[in-house]
Amino acid sequence: DDTLVRRFAHDALWEIWFRGHDANHCWALQQALQLSDFLEMLAALDDLIETAPDYAEAYNQRAILFFRRGEFARCIGDCKTVLRLNPVHFAAAAGMGQSYLKLRKPRAALRAFEMALEIYPGLDDLQDAVRTLQDVLGE
């Protein structure tokens, strides 16, 4: 319940997720994220994923890229991979929910948001979204 503790835990998880299992992969991810061109960033992330297929954060960052480009089905696919590799990646579950909303699949969005909240109950914005979806869906 302590906001400061929650913030430290949140930040620590992101540090761990970015670090991955190999310093070279972490460095490659950071380099990819500094690219300004979509196609170059996508190619760098694709290369990293090919090199490190179990590096969940590479998939998560590509999912974010897909979301920003409006490629919601591809985002969902990467989010599912992230959650298979890292079942406590609340951001991937939340991103998947946002993508389902964009695809007008409210029940799937609700399930994804509930998963994210089960992992990390401190996502206050998602709690509001869940209540709204439950009201709309009559659940």
Side-chain angles (χ1 to χ4, degrees), residues 4-40:
L4 185 59
V5 171
R6 195 179 330 159
R7 185 72 215 172
F8 282 139
H10 176 270
D11 292 348
L13 281 173
W14 279 105
E15 285 290 325
I16 292 167
W17 293 342
F18 263 86
R19 189 177 332 138
H21 302 293
D22 184 303
N24 292 325
H25 298 156
C26 178
W27 182 85
L29 179 60
Q30 291 173 356
Q31 295 303 305
L33 296 179
Q34 291 180 19
L35 297 169
S36 58
D37 180 76
F38 165 77
L39 292 177
E40 288 178 7

Side-chain angles (χ1 to χ4, degrees), residues 48-62:
L48 178 55
I49 287 168
E50 186 175 322
T51 302
D54 60 346
Y55 186 20
E57 195 54 36
Y59 290 95
N60 186 58
Q61 293 302 315
R62 190 172 70 176

